């Protein structure tokens, strides 16, 4: 968003009440927004050309078309996009994996404020998003609850990984450091708590307050107070006493 002039926001949604609610929430947050609305893909494309928005709120499912129809026709999008959706828990996981901000309908005021603040904090990051849009589309189309690719926001942009490439991730203040199978380290601008929600099923486990491990890369368990795991790269990571029982159950046949 441009801090030197009035910030321009485009709301794309076929439901008038949804558009009005987002407008009201934006105006409650900051009266300086210049807000435009569109109720279809074609109308949104026309408005986008005329105002060149700094931020887009995009409905996933509209009458006879989708938000992805807009993205396909709009070309490269280099501004933040916040998706609005009434979809399932699986859709929420897809958004998280693809590192996009989203709001569930009906929109909650507290969640709206939180998402808007996150967007403001990340405005300095490169926003080129075509690959992530494609990834989000793929993840939404999957029937399984565990999307195949993970997008990690970094200080340079975004890194797209197969979850199997992650050995473990460690909290670093309000950031998360990823340790990968290729011996690379990646610092993400999201917290470890965020990744616990994203990765907390199937193959990942939070062994203590500051670390999540990929169970597929555990090579040994050493007995102890809580015990210690030895990872594929030789790293030894303690397990908290409170998590020991849950961890051992994962390996019982």
């Amino acid at each position: 968003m441009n801090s030197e002039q009035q910030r321009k926001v485009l709301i794309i949604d076929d439901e008038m009440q949804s558009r009005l609610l987002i407008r009201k929430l934006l105006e409650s947050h900051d009266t300086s927004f210049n807000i435009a609305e569109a109720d279809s893909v074609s109308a949104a494309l026309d408005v986008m050309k005329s105002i060149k928005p700094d931020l887009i709120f995009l409905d996933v499912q509209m009458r006879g078309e989708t938000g992805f129809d807009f993205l396909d026709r709009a070309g490269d999008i280099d501004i933040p996009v916040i998706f609005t959706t009434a979809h399932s828990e699986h859709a929420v996981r897809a958004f998280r994996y693809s590192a996009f901000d989203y709001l569930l309908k009906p929109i909650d005021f507290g969640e709206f404020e939180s998402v808007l603040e996150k967007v403001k904090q990340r405005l300095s990051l490169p926003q080129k998003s075509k690959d992530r849009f494609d990834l989000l589309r793929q993840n939404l189309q999957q029937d399984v609850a565990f999307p195949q690719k993970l997008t990690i926001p970094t200080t340079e942009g975004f890194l797209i990984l197969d979850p199997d490439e992650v050995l473990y991730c460690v909290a670093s203040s309000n950031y998360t450091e990823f340790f990968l199978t290729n011996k690379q380290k990646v610092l993400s601008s999201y917290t470890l708590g965020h990744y616990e929600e994203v990765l907390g099923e199937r193959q990942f486990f939070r062994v203590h307050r500051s670390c999540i491990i990929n169970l597929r890369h555990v090579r040994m368990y050493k007995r102890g107070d809580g015990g210690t795991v030895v990872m594929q790269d030789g790293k030894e990571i303690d397990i908290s006493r409170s998590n020991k029982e849950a961890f051992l159950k994962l390996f019982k046949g």
Side-chain angles (χ1 to χ4, degrees):
M1 294 180 203
N2 193 334
S3 60
E4 297 179 357
Q5 62 184 22
Q6 195 173 42
R7 291 171 289 185
K8 294 172 287 188
V9 181
L10 173 56
I11 304 168
I12 307 170
D13 198 307
D14 62 337
E15 297 178 358
M16 182 187 299
Q17 291 302 318
S18 294
R19 298 196 306 273
L20 290 175
L21 176 57
I22 294 173
R23 175 183 284 272
K24 181 179 178 181
L25 292 172
L26 282 168
E27 291 172 344
S28 298
H29 182 88
D30 189 336
T31 57
S32 69
F33 286 120
N34 179 5
I35 304 169
E37 300 178 19
D39 62 359
S40 68
V41 169
S42 58
L45 292 168
D46 289 340
V47 174
M48 188 169 179
K49 289 177 184 176
S50 65
I51 73 166
K52 293 182 173 54
D54 301 299
L55 171 65
I56 294 174
F57 286 86
L58 180 60
D59 189 15
V60 173
Q61 192 69 48
M62 296 177 276
R63 286 188 299 271
E65 51 192 3
T66 71
F68 293 105
D69 295 327
F70 166 77
L71 296 172
D72 289 340
R73 294 172 60 184
D76 286 346
I77 300 287
D78 59 359
I79 59 174
V81 175
I82 299 174
F83 288 91
T84 58
T85 180
H87 282 216
S88 65
E89 183 177 331
H90 163 60
V92 170
R93 185 171 294 277
F95 285 115
R96 288 174 175 168
Y97 259 72
S98 306
F100 275 107
D101 291 298
Y102 65 93
L103 289 165
L104 286 177
K105 293 181 178 181
I107 296 172
D108 175 78
F109 175 76
E111 291 179 359
F112 181 91
E113 289 285 299
S114 175
V115 166
L116 204 57
E117 286 303 319
K118 283 196 296 181
V119 169
K120 287 181 177 180
Q121 291 171 13
R122 294 202 299 275
L123 284 173
S124 60
L125 298 178
Q127 294 288 335
K128 291 293 183 181
S129 304
K130 184 180 183 305
D131 290 343
R132 290 193 299 131
F133 287 137
D134 291 342
L135 174 61
L136 175 58
R137 189 201 312 261
Q138 293 168 16
N139 284 342
L140 283 169
Q141 290 171 346
Q142 291 177 26
D143 292 328
V144 296
F146 198 69
Q148 295 175 356
K149 295 293 182 181
L150 171 68
T151 301
I152 300 177
T154 71
T155 55
E156 297 177 343
F158 295 90
L159 182 65
I160 298 176
L161 296 172
D162 186 310
D164 280 343
E165 296 180 67
V166 178
L167 288 172
Y168 45 89
C169 41
V170 179
S172 178
S173 185
N174 288 325
Y175 297 86
T176 301
E177 190 168 21
F178 279 77
F179 294 78
L180 308 181
T181 54
N182 64 1
K183 300 184 180 179
Q184 183 182 4
K185 288 192 253 184
V186 179
L187 187 65
S188 169
S189 56
Y190 280 14
T191 65
L192 191 68
H194 168 85
Y195 288 112
E196 182 177 26
E197 291 184 36
V198 172
L199 300 171
E201 290 187 11
R202 295 196 181 184
Q203 70 190 69
F204 289 87
F205 183 81
R206 191 163 185 170
V207 290
H208 58 73
R209 188 167 58 93
S210 301
C211 183
I212 297 171
I213 64 171
N214 187 337
L215 297 170
R216 294 182 180 177
H217 296 303
V218 173
R219 290 295 172 260
M220 182 184 295
Y221 170 76
K222 295 182 178 180
R223 293 189 182 89
D225 193 14
T228 302
V229 289
V230 181
M231 302 301 294
Q232 178 181 297
D233 63 350
K235 174 74 172 178
E236 296 192 7
I237 301 173
D238 290 336
I239 302 172
S240 69
R241 281 186 296 174
S242 59
N243 291 335
K244 177 180 179 179
E245 183 177 352
F247 174 81
L248 292 177
K249 281 183 179 179
L250 295 172
F251 291 90
K252 290 181 178 178

